[in-house]
Amino acid sequence: MSALPDPGATRAVLIGTSRYDHLEQLPAVSNNLTALAAALTEPFSWGLPPEHCVTLSNPTTAEMTMAAVRAAAEQARDTVLIYFAGHGLVDPENDLYLAMPQSRQQRVETGLSYRWLRQALLNGRAERCVVVLDCCYSGLALGSMGGPVDLADQASVEGTFLLAAAAETRTALAPPGEPFTAFTGELLNALQVGIPHGPELLEFGALYRHMRISLAAKGRPAPQARDRNTGAQLALGRNPAYLPATGSAPSAGENHASERSWPNPSDIRTVKGFFKALSDVRVTSGLTHQLVSRRSGGRVSAGTVSRLLNRESLPSTWQTTAAYLSACGVPDAQVAEWQAVWMRLLAETTIEAAAQPAPQPSQDHSPTLIERLAGRLSRRNGRS
């Protein structure tokens, strides 16, 4: 079942090297990082809080890069995404390493070994991992590797979806005159424009198939992918080009509830994820705030819908949320699942609040009246 991750329990680290001392420059990589970070924090995608999406542009050391990767892998309970754009190199033992600004060919100590990154993900707590590698190779590196297909086999991590560019040349990686690299540009385009006749959610499996066709049509190398433990069903965002099975968008009086992929309440782990999924319910329904109000029979107003979806703390009662979900067309059985999640999160937040130390009353250290009088007498005696 396709799903968007809980943004409160998800982390992303975007790594890119555009400037090199000893390799060809890749200026488009800088644009990749900016655009992808913006996309991941948008509501149509993962809706990540900015602090959950770390961008490392031209990191100078492998140590600082790995510190960010390890922190994300340890903090994420739902999904962790690691993205790298730049030169991908291979050492004499056919091990992949990611080029840093000072990297040299065949000098693994000057780059970031993929083995380290892979091990950090394996040691993390996230249930799902996504690795996106937008790498190119020099002829020497590709020759010693024995073929680009080895990259996906080498880089795969249990429980992940790996999406890797197979760009053998710099031209294939960063076409002249284009703002993004070929691979990431195609990925961003799919997020912004969508996949015609594609699924409602842009699952990584569907993105991979779409990108293979699109890049091949432009005469560019096809990407590689590996899927472990249903990672292909994880979605990167909503498909802007999606139409219901009827072939037309729903009218004001229709909901097509049975044809839609409702957010799964079992995927919710945090309060932020609860409200992100609630908002996704309305988007999935295709209804405006006013239409949700009308379908609720007056139980919730359009203003109430807006306030509900923009809350930061859980409502203390369930009735308004239940009326909203039902008006959007969510099946009754799933509304009950939503209520169970609301009760669990409410209990967790109550326990967390109780565990916080009580604020200490501020102590006023200003002198009392008696102390002020004593000070005056002391100064007077000193002058006498």
Side-chain angles (χ1 to χ4, degrees), residues 56-312:
L56 300 178
S57 181
N58 297 300
T60 54
T61 66
E63 183 179 7
M64 67 177 292
T65 307
M66 285 306 304
V69 170
R70 288 195 181 95
E74 292 170 359
Q75 294 166 5
R77 289 179 288 141
D78 187 322
T79 300
V80 59
L81 181 148
I82 306 298
Y83 167 90
F84 173 80
H87 286 294
L89 305 174
V90 182
D91 70 7
E93 297 181 354
N94 284 348
D95 283 337
L96 171 69
Y97 64 104
L98 310 178
M100 302 284 103
Q102 294 80 33
S103 291
R104 295 174 179 267
Q105 292 280 6
Q106 302 294 314
R107 300 285 182 85
V108 66
E109 71 275 10
T110 64
L112 171 63
S113 171
Y114 186 83
R115 289 178 179 268
W116 303 343
L117 192 153
R118 180 178 184 273
Q119 193 60 48
L121 294 179
L122 290 172
N123 293 339
R125 299 191 301 163
E127 293 184 10
R128 297 174 291 200
C129 302
V130 177
V131 179
V132 180
L133 299 177
D134 190 350
C135 303
C136 68
Y137 316 100
S138 68
L140 176 62
L142 181 60
S144 67
M145 195 171 190
V149 71
D150 292 343
L151 168 63
D153 290 327
Q154 184 185 100
S156 61
V157 179
E158 192 67 35
T160 73
F161 187 85
L162 168 77
L163 186 60
E168 296 90 345
T169 65
R170 181 187 181 281
T171 303
L173 179 76
E178 296 189 13
F180 308 110
T181 61
F183 174 84
T184 298
E186 205 65 48
L187 180 65
L188 291 168
N189 185 68
L191 273 173
Q192 294 166 0
V193 179
I195 302 176
H197 311 294
E200 185 175 354
L201 297 179
L202 293 174
E203 302 168 343
F204 275 99
L207 280 170
Y208 162 64
R209 292 188 293 271
H210 172 73
M211 291 176 66
R212 278 189 69 89
I213 295 171
S214 298
L215 289 169
K218 298 176 182 178
R220 295 170 180 175
Q224 304 289 326
R226 290 293 183 274
D227 171 29
R228 300 286 183 91
N229 294 346
T230 69
Q233 296 179 358
L234 179 66
L236 187 58
R238 297 191 167 277
N239 183 6
Y242 172 75
L243 290 176
T246 56
S248 61
S251 64
E254 295 176 316
N255 203 25
H256 298 293
S258 61
E259 300 169 4
R260 295 188 173 272
S261 301
W262 298 107
N264 188 353
S266 64
D267 292 330
I268 299 171
R269 295 167 175 79
T270 65
V271 173
K272 185 169 186 63
F274 182 86
F275 288 111
K276 173 64 165 61
L278 268 187
S279 181
D280 286 343
V281 164
R282 189 196 62 78
V283 175
T284 301
S285 73
L287 302 172
T288 64
H289 290 191
Q290 289 77 10
L291 286 174
V292 172
S293 174
R294 188 183 308 170
R295 290 173 63 89
S296 75
R299 288 182 293 170
V300 289
S301 66
T304 300
V305 172
S306 178
R307 288 190 293 274
L308 174 65
L309 300 184
N310 287 283
R311 290 179 64 104
E312 295 184 356

Side-chain angles (χ1 to χ4, degrees), residues 15-29:
I15 310 161
T17 307
S18 59
R19 301 193 302 269
Y20 291 94
D21 294 342
H22 310 287
L23 303 172
E24 287 189 83
Q25 308 305 307
L26 297 172
V29 167

Side-chain angles (χ1 to χ4, degrees), residues 4-10 37-53 236-237 272-273 276 280:
L4 287 164
D6 182 330
T10 294
L40 289 174
T41 55
E42 287 289 337
F44 70 83
S45 182
W46 283 3
L48 293 180
E51 63 271 19
H52 289 187
C53 185
L236 187 58
K272 185 169 186 63
K276 173 64 165 61
D280 286 343

